[in-house]
Amino acid sequence: MEDCLAKKMEITVSEAEKRTGRNAMNIQETYTAYLIETRAVESQTEGQCAPVESLWRRYSEFELLRNYLSVTYPHIVVPPLPEKRADFVWHKLSADNMDPDFVERRRIGLENFLLRVASHPVLCQDKIFYAFLMQEGGWKEMVNETGFQLKADSRLKALNATFRVKNPDKRFTELKHYSDELQSVISHLLRVRARVADRLYGVYKVHGNYGRVFSEWSAIEKEMGDGLQSAGHHMDVYAASIDDILEEEEHYADQLKEYLFYAEALRAVCRKHELMQYDLEMAAQDLTSKKQQCEELATGTVRTFSLKGMTSKLFGQETPEQREAKIKVLEEQIQEGEEQLKSKNLEGRDFVKSAWADIERFKEQKNHDLKEALISYAVMQISMCKKGIQVWTNAKECFSKM
Amino acid sequence: AASAPKPLPSSGPKSLREMPHPLATSSSEEMGPALTPSPDLLLPRSIADKDLSLPNGTPVDTSSPASSSSLLNRLQLDDDFDVETRDLFVTVDDPKKHVCTMETYITYRVTTKTTRAEFDLPEYSVRRRYQDFDWLRNKLEESQPTHLIPPLPEKFVVKGVVDRFSEEFVETRRKALDKFLKRITDHPVLSFNEHFNVFLTAKDLNAYKKQGMALLSKMGESVKYVTGGYKLRSRPLEFAAIGDYLDTFSLKLGTIDRIAQRIIKEQLEYLVELREYGPVYSTWGGLEVELSEPLEGVSACIGNCCTALEELSEDMTEDFLPVLREYILYAESMKNVLKKRDQVQAEYEAKLEAVALKREDRPKVPTDVEKCQDRVECFNADLKADMERWQNNKRQDFRQLLMGMADKNIQYYEK
């Protein structure tokens, strides 16, 4: 990653702010704006602190950027954005987009997105991306001028449409299958985890009632009083500790969510390949039929039934001149078609090659990231247990002094 | 009329008060009845869990046979009073199911080892069923109305359809019955009770029971108190305090019971979710190549957590909750004793009044009155003694209990 932008520049999404303004339909709305700060790293090594450049962007602009990147680099697994709406919440978390915790987690997610793009060997070199970071005004127009929306294949949006591809690349089929399974398993995991968090919260909080009762009870006791009182205090501590524990766990959930969305991006690449392959096969099919038509006209044999053949039989044969003209047109088309097919094939092979390279890169990144996420989750669990041991050991001591 | 220990020559109430308690620490205080002490102030925590009673300041009537003071004399003749001089050991174990034509029931083996003269043999082993324990308790209440009798585990199972013959239920009950007998054994007065002796030794308890019914009329006097009609003038402060304490105590215990049950319920619901959570990691592991090992690892760990949590909940249910309930029952029976005491005092006061009004020389009434006075004092003393003992025991019990709970939680987390 020699040319990686991330190495040359520090990028942070440092703040979030509520704004009101008018949207595209001229309706007043409230939205959150995020402050992107960048600072060149190179000049720092010279002993000077480079100036920090900053600009504000809102979520919809991030979305625009990502759409542009997806269309412009169809063979790349484009990093996903954090979720638009809060999903997989457990009861204490708010599902409100304006909730400060949600905004905070989104801020972190957006920063992560930018860092991912900046560390991608291909994406980081994109001019539009650079402008996103550096140029506040006129960026939207710049993006639209690229005309990427025209390139966007509307067929991709129809996620469930199947294209009967006769010769799919087996690797892509497997990969698509994998990404589907991954999506399904991670969302199941996140759902259950949310329920687990909910229940665990309940268990801890009820222990807080012990604190109250022990305190009340200690009031009527003489020798047992002190022990009960301090034990009660520990119960309160225990009950309160769950809030921090679960907040930390949210971070783990976010890491999983990123890969949930990454799975979607992976799937998108597979779909694009499918489409390409489909177009290729269609083109090849078209070419074959044209060649056939040509042959028939040239030799005068009708091998297959065609409406034209029937009508000409009924309404009289064509003149040789007409036939010649037709053949010529067809020959031109065939030539065009063959060229198109060649270039499509080339395109296809290029796509497969570069896509596969990026997929390998992605796989490595995924394995690395997820391993780390699992490790930190385990560490979290251990620390939670250690805290539990601590609290109950303290309580035990209080009891032993009764 | 009640069974009694052999009355020993007593040097009189005064000297008792002056005699230092064998186990008293230098910081022990003597309190008069006018103050409102907490009942367990006087006693130090004895190492051997053996408690002695000391009537604190209340004049003790030596003519009353069921007084613990006479026993105290006897105990003071010993040099040391700790575990080694304990002369009565009782255990309840080996539950067995009996199937008869009419019914099916469980008996428990009751083993006794003793060096006491009241027992003919040094060792006994008999089989008893719950009914027998219930009978014993009733007899004790009848014959020692001024004492606090330990509670029995509940007769009927309240919650849902619990199998009377399930291992857990039988074991929980066995432990409670064992505790019941041990408490009686530890009691300096109750352990010498005639019925207790018979319970421990008789081959055929039923024969004795039938015999006992005939004697009931003779015992009647000590059992029956005239209810109603006697209004209590003033309850001595310390008993009022005990009463209040018991009320609050059972309230708090009830709350703790509910909390503990709620926690167990929440833990079980948590367990349900955990059980679904673990396998998802496994499924994911199946999808992956490099990550499959760590994912399987996570799945296995979650499985371990599930098992540990299950154990925790089970232990709480089996060990913690029953003891709580036992103490609530205890508090209930104590309140009953207090009520009786009030009754006796009321009767005594009424009779006193009657005498004062009539200004007649009625030899009958004074003895009656004296008897009442007797009872009241007796009550007071024994009650206090028992309270102290009970408090101490309770403290020990709870200490162990809560420590056990803490321990379990620790174990859970360590897993």
Side-chain angles (χ1 to χ4, degrees):
Chain A
M1 296 208 190
E2 314 86 32
D3 286 275
C4 198
L5 191 62
K7 294 227 162 161
K8 295 192 206 155
M9 190 189 274
E10 264 175 40
I11 306 173
T12 52
V13 177
S14 49
E15 274 170 52
E17 213 178 71
K18 251 197 207 161
R19 298 261 180 94
T20 46
R22 292 196 175 274
N23 67 3
M25 290 173 282
N26 216 24
I27 298 170
Q28 188 109 26
E29 57 165 9
T30 326
Y31 63 91
T32 317
Y34 300 87
L35 182 67
I36 304 179
E37 287 182 333
T38 49
R39 183 214 304 243
V41 165
E42 275 177 21
S43 38
Q44 274 185 2
T45 58
E46 290 167 4
Q48 294 168 341
C49 219
V52 171
E53 313 238 358
S54 62
L55 44 76
W56 292 88
R57 294 265 182 234
R58 52 184 295 190
Y59 188 82
S60 54
E61 294 178 280
F62 279 86
E63 276 184 313
L64 187 59
L65 173 67
R66 188 171 188 276
N67 286 342
Y68 162 78
L69 289 173
S70 301
V71 173
T72 318
Y73 303 90
H75 56 282
I76 302 279
V77 184
V78 179
L81 284 173
E83 53 193 354
K84 190 154 194 164
R85 263 165 286 279
D87 245 338
F88 307 113
V89 289
W90 53 281
H91 89 279
K92 202 203 159 211
L93 286 191
S94 157
D96 176 21
N97 279 6
M98 289 295 168
D99 177 74
D101 282 332
F102 178 76
V103 169
E104 174 61 17
R105 294 206 339 269
R106 189 189 252 192
R107 182 192 67 75
I108 296 173
L110 290 174
E111 188 178 284
N112 193 46
F113 167 74
L114 291 178
L115 289 172
R116 291 261 192 224
V117 176
S119 14
H120 193 285
V122 174
L123 296 178
C124 70
Q125 302 183 31
D126 188 278
K127 298 274 183 303
I128 299 285
F129 175 59
Y130 190 75
F132 182 85
L133 295 173
M134 307 301 286
Q135 182 186 322
E136 183 143 24
W139 176 80
K140 259 201 191 144
E141 289 72 16
M142 194 198 240
V143 179
N144 289 330
E145 268 167 31
T146 62
F148 80 94
Q149 270 120 345
L150 299 170
K151 285 198 232 161
D153 198 330
S154 59
R155 290 179 293 173
L156 283 169
K157 296 224 169 115
L159 282 172
N160 288 330
T162 44
F163 296 92
R164 256 171 271 115
V165 177
K166 289 192 195 125
N167 269 334
D169 186 324
K170 271 233 169 79
R171 296 178 296 171
F172 278 99
T173 326
E174 271 172 24
L175 194 66
K176 182 155 154 236
H177 183 69
Y178 166 77
S179 68
D180 284 339
E181 299 273 297
L182 189 68
Q183 266 188 300
S184 147
V185 94
I186 295 187
S187 35
H188 187 199
L189 192 70
L190 286 170
R191 266 198 310 275
V192 182
R193 190 210 74 88
R195 290 207 299 265
V196 167
D198 217 1
R199 291 291 170 206
L200 191 62
Y201 183 78
V203 171
Y204 270 75
K205 282 299 175 193
V206 178
H207 279 85
N209 293 344
Y210 270 150
R212 200 171 29 89
V213 169
F214 282 172
S215 181
E216 290 167 5
W217 183 8
S218 74
I220 59 169
E221 295 287 343
K222 274 284 173 166
E223 291 193 23
M224 294 204 319
D226 286 335
L228 279 177
Q229 180 83 330
S230 17
H233 165 71
H234 288 297
M235 290 293 106
D236 287 331
V237 168
Y238 181 73
S241 67
I242 190 68
D243 293 308
D244 287 337
I245 291 171
L246 286 177
E247 218 182 277
E248 264 192 77
E249 263 198 36
E250 277 314 304
H251 179 63
Y252 169 70
D254 284 337
Q255 286 174 301
L256 290 182
K257 268 183 224 167
E258 194 193 6
Y259 275 92
L260 177 68
F261 302 140
Y262 250 128
E264 250 181 76
L266 194 64
R267 189 175 193 279
V269 173
C270 297
R271 289 280 284 165
K272 283 171 203 157
H273 161 78
E274 242 180 36
L275 270 182
M276 277 189 112
Q277 188 71 8
Y278 178 77
D279 281 345
L280 192 78
E281 288 178 1
M282 285 291 110
Q285 212 176 29
D286 191 51
L287 191 66
T288 321
S289 83
K290 284 213 165 78
K291 282 191 182 162
Q292 211 175 43
Q293 271 183 3
C294 207
E295 198 196 310
E296 281 169 21
L297 280 177
T299 57
T301 53
V302 184
R303 253 190 268 148
T304 52
F305 174 83
S306 71
L307 191 59
K308 244 202 180 142
M310 281 318 296
T311 48
S312 58
K313 268 223 160 96
L314 288 170
F315 297 106
Q317 291 276 356
E318 298 167 308
T319 61
E321 292 85 18
Q322 285 175 317
R323 215 188 304 153
E324 278 300 319
K326 276 204 187 124
I327 290 175
K328 240 213 174 115
V329 167
L330 276 174
E331 278 178 349
E332 272 174 32
Q333 284 180 339
I334 287 169
Q335 195 157 24
E336 259 179 57
E338 280 187 341
E339 273 173 28
Q340 261 190 17
L341 197 63
K342 224 190 253 175
S343 72
K344 274 211 162 81
N345 259 318
L346 214 64
E347 230 184 290
R349 273 201 291 271
D350 276 343
F351 181 90
V352 169
K353 198 168 100 184
S354 39
W356 211 254
D358 196 56
I359 285 166
E360 290 297 328
R361 181 205 61 82
F362 169 73
K363 274 192 190 158
E364 264 190 55
Q365 176 196 298
K366 174 200 74 168
N367 286 337
H368 175 261
D369 287 347
L370 287 176
K371 225 182 233 175
E372 265 188 35
L374 288 173
I375 290 174
S376 74
Y377 183 58
V379 168
M380 253 186 260
Q381 294 295 312
I382 292 175
S383 121
M384 173 176 97
C385 289
K386 282 211 176 122
K387 278 188 203 152
I389 292 177
Q390 184 75 52
V391 167
W392 284 101
T393 316
N394 290 344
K396 184 176 170 186
E397 239 187 84
C398 295
F399 292 142
S400 71
K401 290 195 192 136
M402 287 204 322
Chain B
S3 58
K6 290 195 214 124
L8 295 170
S10 157
S11 40
K14 252 198 204 155
S15 46
L16 252 182
R17 231 182 300 165
E18 285 163 335
M19 246 188 260
H21 189 292
L23 288 183
T25 59
S26 50
S27 59
S28 68
E29 304 149 41
E30 300 258 3
M31 286 227 169
L35 299 175
T36 54
S38 168
D40 63 354
L41 248 189
L42 190 57
L43 284 192
R45 219 185 292 153
S46 71
I47 310 155
D49 201 21
K50 198 74 165 79
D51 301 298
L52 301 173
S53 58
L54 179 68
N56 43 5
T58 327
V60 175
D61 192 342
T62 48
S63 65
S64 166
S67 155
S68 43
S69 62
S70 50
L71 184 63
L72 189 62
N73 279 333
R74 178 210 198 131
L75 294 173
Q76 281 173 336
L77 295 175
D78 293 331
D79 288 323
D80 282 3
F81 203 78
D82 56 52
V83 178
E84 275 105 52
T85 57
R86 229 212 218 142
D87 55 4
L88 180 65
F89 296 89
V90 179
T91 337
V92 178
D93 59 6
D94 190 31
K96 276 208 172 84
K97 197 179 197 173
H98 295 254
V99 184
C100 307
T101 43
M102 292 301 282
E103 54 175 350
T104 311
Y105 59 90
I106 306 256
T107 61
Y108 304 84
R109 178 176 64 189
V110 179
T111 324
T112 312
K113 290 200 172 82
T114 181
T115 55
R116 285 190 188 175
E118 287 84 3
F119 293 86
D120 296 328
L121 299 172
E123 270 190 49
Y124 291 90
S125 179
V126 294
R127 287 238 143 226
R128 297 281 180 253
R129 54 186 291 192
Y130 184 90
Q131 264 181 17
D132 302 329
F133 285 85
D134 199 28
W135 169 86
L136 173 64
R137 188 167 194 285
N138 289 334
K139 282 295 173 212
L140 287 175
E141 269 191 335
E142 276 171 22
S143 52
Q144 316 268 188
T146 60
H147 285 269
L148 297 174
I149 318 291
L152 273 181
E154 278 148 16
K155 196 164 199 162
F156 304 107
V157 189
V158 184
K159 250 203 189 151
V161 189
V162 177
D163 183 13
R164 270 190 307 140
F165 304 110
S166 80
E167 249 186 68
E168 291 121 24
F169 178 75
V170 171
E171 178 57 19
T172 311
R173 196 175 244 201
R174 183 203 66 76
K175 277 194 226 166
L177 292 174
D178 185 74
K179 220 179 210 180
F180 171 71
L181 288 186
K182 285 198 160 69
R183 281 197 175 125
I184 299 178
T185 314
D186 286 349
H187 197 290
V189 177
L190 290 180
S191 62
F192 289 93
N193 183 289
E194 181 194 324
H195 301 294
F196 185 53
N197 188 309
V198 174
F199 178 88
L200 292 177
T201 59
K203 280 295 165 189
D204 183 5
L205 193 61
N206 287 326
Y208 179 79
K209 282 189 200 176
K210 286 186 191 138
Q211 197 184 53
M213 299 296 260
L215 294 171
L216 185 62
S217 46
K218 290 188 191 169
M219 310 262 276
E221 196 190 327
S222 58
V223 175
K224 288 187 186 130
Y225 292 94
V226 183
T227 49
Y230 292 116
K231 238 180 80 181
L232 188 65
R233 285 297 164 75
S234 60
R235 203 180 283 117
L237 280 169
E238 50 191 319
F239 290 111
I242 295 178
D244 288 338
Y245 169 79
L246 284 177
D247 283 334
T248 319
F249 180 71
S250 17
L251 217 68
K252 293 307 153 197
L253 280 192
T255 311
I256 292 182
D257 183 35
R258 276 193 303 279
I259 295 175
Q261 279 187 51
R262 173 102 184 271
I263 288 183
I264 291 176
K265 178 167 159 275
E266 295 279 343
Q267 277 175 339
L268 288 177
E269 288 179 352
Y270 173 60
L271 192 63
V272 166
E273 301 298 347
L274 265 193
R275 288 225 172 94
E276 203 189 315
Y277 190 47
V280 182
Y281 278 98
S282 234
T283 313
W284 188 0
L287 271 187
E288 299 284 339
V289 177
E290 256 191 63
L291 290 176
S292 87
E293 232 188 275
L295 286 169
E296 283 292 338
V298 174
S299 180
C301 288
I302 295 178
N304 283 344
C305 289
C306 286
T307 323
L309 185 61
E310 226 180 338
E311 269 181 44
L312 177 67
S313 298
E314 260 175 45
D315 285 337
M316 285 289 284
T317 315
E318 280 168 29
D319 296 328
F320 184 69
L321 290 180
V323 178
L324 275 182
R325 297 207 184 111
E326 183 194 304
Y327 269 98
I328 295 177
L329 286 173
Y330 225 146
E332 282 303 310
S333 74
M334 283 171 69
K335 279 197 269 195
N336 280 336
V337 175
L338 281 180
K339 272 196 204 124
K340 284 193 214 148
R341 192 215 69 85
D342 283 350
Q343 283 294 330
V344 171
Q345 181 175 341
E347 203 186 316
Y348 164 61
E349 283 171 359
K351 292 210 170 136
L352 212 57
E353 227 183 72
V355 170
L357 283 173
K358 294 222 170 129
R359 287 179 188 283
E360 276 172 34
D361 199 36
R362 286 209 187 176
K364 224 190 193 180
V365 176
T367 35
D368 235 7
V369 168
E370 254 177 58
K371 263 208 187 133
C372 280
Q373 187 176 21
D374 261 5
R375 286 206 207 111
V376 172
E377 310 299 31
C378 187
F379 243 134
N380 291 355
D382 291 338
L383 209 53
K384 280 185 206 157
D386 280 346
M387 274 302 293
E388 284 159 7
R389 181 180 315 109
W390 177 76
Q391 285 286 15
N392 214 344
N393 280 339
K394 172 196 70 175
R395 212 185 319 137
Q396 296 276 358
D397 281 343
F398 272 111
R399 190 163 133 252
Q400 270 181 13
L401 197 63
L402 292 166
M403 277 172 71
M405 182 168 102
D407 260 328
K408 286 275 139 63
N409 273 290
I410 291 171
Q411 279 174 25
Y412 162 60
Y413 279 118
E414 278 173 1
K415 282 180 201 164

